[in-house]
Amino acid sequence: MSSQREIPTKPHDFQGDIDTIGRIDAVSTILDVVCRTTGMGFAAVARVTEERWIACQVLDNIDFGLGPGGELKVESTICHEIRQNREAVVISNVADDPVYCSHHTPLAYGFQSYISMPIMLKDKTFFGTLCAIDPRPARLNNPETIGMFKLFAELIAAHIETDRQLRTSQAALVQERQLSELREQFIAVLGHDLRNPVASVDSGARLLSRQPLNDKGRQILAMMQGSVTRMSGLIDNVLDFARARLGNGLDLVLEGAKPLRPVLEQVVNELASVDPSREIMARFDFDADRAIAVDHVRIAQLFSNLLGNALTHGEPGAPVRVGAGTEGDAFVLWVANAGTPIPPATLDDLFRPFFRGKARPSQQGLGLGLYIASEIAKAHGGTLVATSDTDETRFTFRMPLEAKRGQTAVRPLG
């Protein structure tokens, strides 16, 4: 027995479907069970469309001559009719069958027994058929055989759905990863390229501050310096975000010999100069010459992000309170402001990148400040937590004075 009506193979057109069936380990077992149970010599899972009949997987014990990727003229097959009416066809003996005894397909391919069950996907899409043929008659038209074929066709359909969902998820994951890498590389380049013009504006502002200016000039200069401070903070946050997400981490330079209090006081003075109308109440409960082994630049960045956030979101007429000191074997830094409480459900999201909550229209930012502050806290082996109620919203950084640092590059200074 041979498939003399086979047409030139073009498996690449449906290679995805052939590969899908090939990945389903159960199919080879199903075809073997079909042949052993019915006594038939050829069984296949076929992809059937309006124009094509393509074998996806085959068990051929009768030299039919068709393998995976092999193709028959769809009009010459009974599967073509099954695709149209979505009903199984069962023929125990072609010679005795009143419908198919003179049908062109058995005559063309020389079989006497035939069974084909449609493979239907969840969305009612017709994929193809699970079919079997043999040159001898076979006992097929019984509930057991028909039920077995129906069960196997449903099982194959379920595997196809699962495989497609998995492939779609994997493709989406790869695309998202590529977009994420591109986005983060763009952020890194953008942040780097912004430094030069901001540095130029800062240098110009410093030169102007040494010149005699009238009140209007001093006011404009203060606005320029405030804008430079905000822009520098944004650029630092963007670059640190890119470093963290691209896998380089935050680089700590521990300065255990220099006092920390002047660094915190400088942050307060810088932000107070940006908006002199806002009151900042600072209390630092440790000696001015007390040295604590931290990265001064990073701690200043963390503090600046927290204080800037409090000034932005706090009640405009109420002071922002800040404090720092040692509690037992820990260093603690906190910032508190009055204002509308943060909902409990939102507190968990505050330290996610690009999370801005419900800001007022005049409030601007990328939503990276708290994320970067949290990463700096982790890099120092510490924690950053937020609490909020009707009295105040408070961010507290707590760091063991003697502890292992986080998974970050740490370089002691000196």
Side-chain angles (χ1 to χ4, degrees), residues 68-340:
E71 187 167 350
L72 303 176
K73 290 183 177 179
V74 68
E75 298 86 355
S76 71
T77 68
I78 297 176
C79 293
H80 180 56
E81 300 170 13
I82 295 173
R83 185 193 64 80
Q84 295 173 319
N85 55 38
R86 313 296 171 93
E87 297 289 340
V89 172
V90 182
I91 309 171
S92 295
N93 188 347
V94 170
D96 295 338
D97 192 286
V99 177
Y100 291 97
C101 61
S102 58
H103 195 279
H104 64 86
T105 298
L107 293 174
Y109 295 110
F111 60 77
Q112 284 298 309
S113 55
Y114 174 92
I115 181 170
S116 183
M117 185 68 62
I119 298 174
M120 304 295 300
L121 304 183
K122 283 183 179 180
D123 61 358
K124 307 303 181 182
T125 299
F126 179 85
F127 176 85
T129 60
L130 169 63
C131 54
I133 62 172
D134 197 88
R136 302 163 300 173
R139 296 184 59 209
L140 303 176
N141 202 0
N142 57 77
E144 293 79 14
T145 300
I146 295 173
M148 177 185 69
F149 266 77
K150 187 174 187 297
L151 177 62
F152 284 161
E154 291 173 351
L155 179 61
I156 293 170
H159 276 290
I160 292 171
E161 295 276 7
T162 301
D163 185 85
R164 287 182 174 179
Q165 291 173 3
L166 178 61
R167 297 293 156 181
T168 299
S169 298
Q170 290 175 336
L173 182 61
V174 169
Q175 183 180 27
E176 178 59 30
R177 185 180 296 116
Q178 291 172 341
L179 288 174
S180 179
E181 291 176 355
L182 180 61
R183 180 170 57 247
E184 288 161 2
Q185 289 169 2
F186 170 77
I187 289 172
V189 172
L190 178 64
H192 181 271
D193 289 349
L194 283 175
R195 280 196 182 279
N196 289 338
V198 171
S200 297
V201 174
D202 186 38
S203 297
R206 291 179 186 276
L207 288 174
L208 286 175
S209 66
R210 300 170 188 168
Q211 304 298 320
L213 299 170
N214 57 27
D215 291 342
K216 185 64 174 178
R218 285 191 292 271
Q219 182 181 4
I220 294 174
L221 182 60
M223 292 174 59
M224 289 175 59
Q225 291 174 322
S227 296
V228 167
T229 299
R230 285 193 296 271
M231 281 298 298
S232 296
L234 285 173
I235 292 170
D236 287 341
N237 288 338
V238 166
L239 288 176
D240 286 334
F241 172 76
R243 290 189 189 102
R245 297 300 288 265
L246 290 172
N248 296 327
L250 301 180
D251 191 12
L252 298 187
V253 179
L254 302 184
E255 301 177 86
K258 293 174 60 177
L260 177 61
R261 182 167 170 173
V263 175
L264 304 181
E265 291 173 341
Q266 181 181 353
V267 171
V268 172
N269 293 334
E270 285 181 355
L271 290 182
S273 67
V274 172
D275 187 357
S277 66
R278 297 299 302 275
E279 181 182 3
I280 302 175
M281 300 174 60
R283 177 177 177 178
F284 300 128
D285 295 325
F286 61 104
D287 294 338
D289 58 354
R290 172 72 184 272
I292 298 174
V294 295
D295 185 316
H296 283 194
V297 174
R298 291 297 185 188
I299 293 299
Q301 186 181 3
L302 177 151
F303 187 29
S304 178
N305 286 351
L306 295 182
L307 182 52
N309 181 76
L311 291 168
T312 298
H313 297 280
E315 188 67 32
V320 171
R321 298 182 298 113
V322 302
T326 57
E327 296 180 3
D329 59 354
F331 170 73
V332 179
L333 171 67
W334 56 269
V335 176
N337 64 268
T340 304

Side-chain angles (χ1 to χ4, degrees), residues 332-386:
V332 179
L333 171 67
W334 56 269
V335 176
N337 64 268
T340 304
I342 301 172
T346 303
L347 285 174
D348 295 335
D349 294 323
L350 290 176
F351 302 110
R352 288 194 294 107
F354 301 114
F355 181 82
R356 298 182 62 229
K358 295 182 179 179
R360 290 188 291 269
S362 61
Q363 297 168 355
Q364 300 178 358
L366 296 174
L368 288 176
L370 293 180
Y371 168 75
I372 297 300
S374 177
E375 292 298 304
I376 293 172
K378 292 176 185 176
H380 281 83
T383 60
L384 179 61
V385 297

Side-chain angles (χ1 to χ4, degrees), residues 14-25:
F14 287 89
Q15 191 60 51
D17 294 320
I18 296 171
D19 292 343
T20 295
I21 298 301
R23 285 190 294 266
I24 303 174
D25 294 334

